[in-house]
Amino acid sequence: MSKRAYFGTDGIRGQANSHPMTAEVALRVGLAAAKLFKSQDERRHLVVIGKDTRLSGYMVEPALVAGFASVGMDVRLLGPMPTPGVAMMTRSLRADLGVMISASHNPYTDNGIKLFGPDGYKLSDDRELEIEALMGQDLHVGLAPPTELGRVARVDDSQARYVEIAKATFPRRLSLSGLRIVIDCANGAAYKVAPVVLYELGAEVIKIGVSPDGTNINEDCGSTHPEAVARAVKEFRADIGVALDGDADRLIICDEKGHVVDGDQIMALIADYWAGRDRLNGGGVVATVMSNLGLERFLAARNLKLERTKVGDRYVMARMREGGFNLGGEQSGHMIMSDFSTTGDGLLAALQVLAVLKDSNKPMSELARQFEPVPQILENVRFAGGKPLETEHVKGVIADAEQRLNGSGRIVVRASGTEPLIRVMAEGDDEKLVHEVVKDIVGAVKKAAA
């Protein structure tokens, strides 16, 4: 595959007002994507744009709008909206393209641009490369005449529409009445919609992380800082806590004792529940190379398979579509349930967990630990440049580590697609050995990156 100049594992992402997250790049994205997604027929073409609550959204959104409108594409602005809501609205409004302005779980100083096709799915690598090729054109190429410029309007009921879609995914025979739920919206995109969905389904709702000011998204709250929801669960004696990230496409659950439940346990819980009701398609679950070996063993004991992909929820989604699976996700809390959505949706995943909680009549702490995780160590090594993973020394140390684990564990060493980090993960039954191999690999990577 050709080298990608702008797009990483999850769209374009970077520090706001620095390359590639500048107004000029956003303008070029709008121009290029509009040219690619405008078909040859005479109808008006449409793009929908949603965003999270970052200050820099006010810079990126108008630049994208200018790009799309100048090529003759109509624009509908959704305002603050979860990433999966943008995907849903792209299909609902029969748009040619959907755009989400967000850097997900990153700090507010970052931002990003994610693109969805008319089917509501994230664009393929090939489509992104086509956009990159068009982004290199002169800015005046392909502009619409003044009589054919795009029109821009806000969609006033977009959040209400998402609320109704989300509520419809919860089993009609159940209600959340009697449950006290803490919801942490990370001061992000779901700060309005998530509490409303839970309240309208009958829950007593305690909401935190619902006061965005442009700079506090993901700050000491949300799925990347689960201690906030854990603290609130204990303080308010809630039955469960749900923490979303900045764009609400991932979640972390917290039981009534304040213990955090990761994405692997959530996948296990939903998979077992669905399999018992003949609702699990594909004979198993799709996850990434980062998911715990314990999940694989848990599923195997139930004659279910775990299929692994490289990291990135769109790779999980692609494998789900190929293999007819309806459940997939990542350890980090991305949950994709293709019966309901074309991309990860933290709120919809929380509703499925809540359905299990209501059906089982057990406390969350009894449901939270579906399997005993295999000891797993993950360390990140920051690097300034170069390709430390391609050095012979690093390759040799990784090969030696794999030999030492001797089939009783796994090693995954990869460059992050969103930050200048090398991620080193190892897991196995022998915790001491796992620590040793991670330490050796991290040392080798640091030496190569120096």
Side-chain angles (χ1 to χ4, degrees), residues 5 21 32 102 252 380 437:
M21 275 317 302
S102 175
I252 291 292
N380 295 322
V437 298

Side-chain angles (χ1 to χ4, degrees), residues 227-295:
E227 58 276 9
V229 75
R231 197 163 48 241
V233 163
K234 288 192 278 192
E235 182 185 340
F236 294 100
R237 293 204 287 274
D239 299 294
I240 189 173
V242 177
L244 305 173
D245 70 338
D247 69 335
D249 64 354
R250 64 164 79 177
L251 87 157
I252 291 292
I253 295 287
C254 174
D255 71 20
E256 79 281 2
K257 295 177 180 176
H259 298 140
V260 172
V261 186
D262 72 8
D264 284 346
Q265 298 285 358
I266 296 167
M267 272 189 279
L269 180 67
I270 297 173
D272 195 41
Y273 180 69
W274 283 9
R277 283 158 182 73
D278 244 6
R279 283 183 53 201
L280 190 68
N281 298 343
V285 174
V286 180
T288 75
V289 292
M290 302 304 282
S291 274
N292 196 280
L293 195 55
L295 174 61

Side-chain angles (χ1 to χ4, degrees), residues 98-136:
V99 184
M100 178 64 181
I101 304 166
S102 175
S104 193
H105 55 281
N106 286 25
Y108 88 92
T109 47
D110 289 352
N111 215 331
I113 299 170
K114 303 180 195 186
L115 302 175
F116 295 93
D119 56 2
Y121 290 97
K122 287 183 181 178
L123 297 189
S124 66
D125 290 338
D126 291 340
R127 269 318 220 184
E128 288 179 348
L129 282 170
E130 288 179 66
I131 290 171
E132 286 200 357
L134 290 169
M135 283 170 69

Side-chain angles (χ1 to χ4, degrees), residues 65-258:
V65 169
F68 285 117
S70 66
V71 183
M73 210 170 200
D74 290 343
V75 183
R76 295 291 176 268
L77 299 173
L78 306 177
M81 170 69 69
T83 291
V86 174
M88 289 173 186
M89 292 297 283
T90 303
R91 290 203 298 180
S92 177
L93 294 173
R94 293 177 64 190
D96 299 277
L97 189 65
V99 184
M100 178 64 181
I101 304 166
S102 175
S104 193
H105 55 281
N106 286 25
Y108 88 92
T109 47
D110 289 352
N111 215 331
I113 299 170
K114 303 180 195 186
L115 302 175
F116 295 93
D119 56 2
Y121 290 97
K122 287 183 181 178
L123 297 189
S124 66
D125 290 338
D126 291 340
R127 269 318 220 184
E128 288 179 348
L129 282 170
E130 288 179 66
I131 290 171
E132 286 200 357
L134 290 169
M135 283 170 69
Q137 288 185 345
D138 286 342
L139 292 176
H140 64 268
V141 173
L143 298 183
T147 53
E148 293 175 26
L149 291 171
R151 296 175 181 273
V152 185
R154 295 203 169 272
V155 182
D156 293 328
D157 66 344
S158 58
Q159 292 179 340
R161 290 171 76 154
Y162 176 72
V163 164
E164 291 307 315
I165 291 168
K167 281 163 56 182
T169 67
F170 190 71
R172 289 185 71 168
R173 62 189 171 79
L174 297 176
S175 158
L176 294 180
S177 61
L179 281 185
R180 181 180 292 181
I181 301 171
V182 173
I183 178 78
D184 181 350
C185 299
N187 291 315
Y191 80 100
K192 285 185 178 175
V193 293
V196 171
V197 169
L198 297 173
Y199 175 79
E200 291 187 1
L201 287 171
E204 180 186 344
V205 182
I206 293 134
K207 51 188 184 178
I208 62 175
V210 289
S211 306
D213 63 10
T215 66
N216 61 359
I217 188 170
N218 300 316
E219 186 181 21
D220 299 327
C221 60
S223 63
T224 47
H225 297 279
E227 58 276 9
V229 75
R231 197 163 48 241
V233 163
K234 288 192 278 192
E235 182 185 340
F236 294 100
R237 293 204 287 274
D239 299 294
I240 189 173
V242 177
L244 305 173
D245 70 338
D247 69 335
D249 64 354
R250 64 164 79 177
L251 87 157
I252 291 292
I253 295 287
C254 174
D255 71 20
E256 79 281 2
K257 295 177 180 176

Side-chain angles (χ1 to χ4, degrees), residues 264 267-272 275 280 283-287 293-307 327 371:
D264 284 346
M267 272 189 279
L269 180 67
I270 297 173
D272 195 41
L280 190 68
V285 174
V286 180
L293 195 55
L295 174 61
E296 199 170 319
R297 292 172 178 173
F298 169 85
L299 293 170
R302 286 153 183 76
N303 291 317
L304 299 170
K305 59 190 171 187
L306 178 69
E307 295 220 356
L327 178 63
F371 63 88

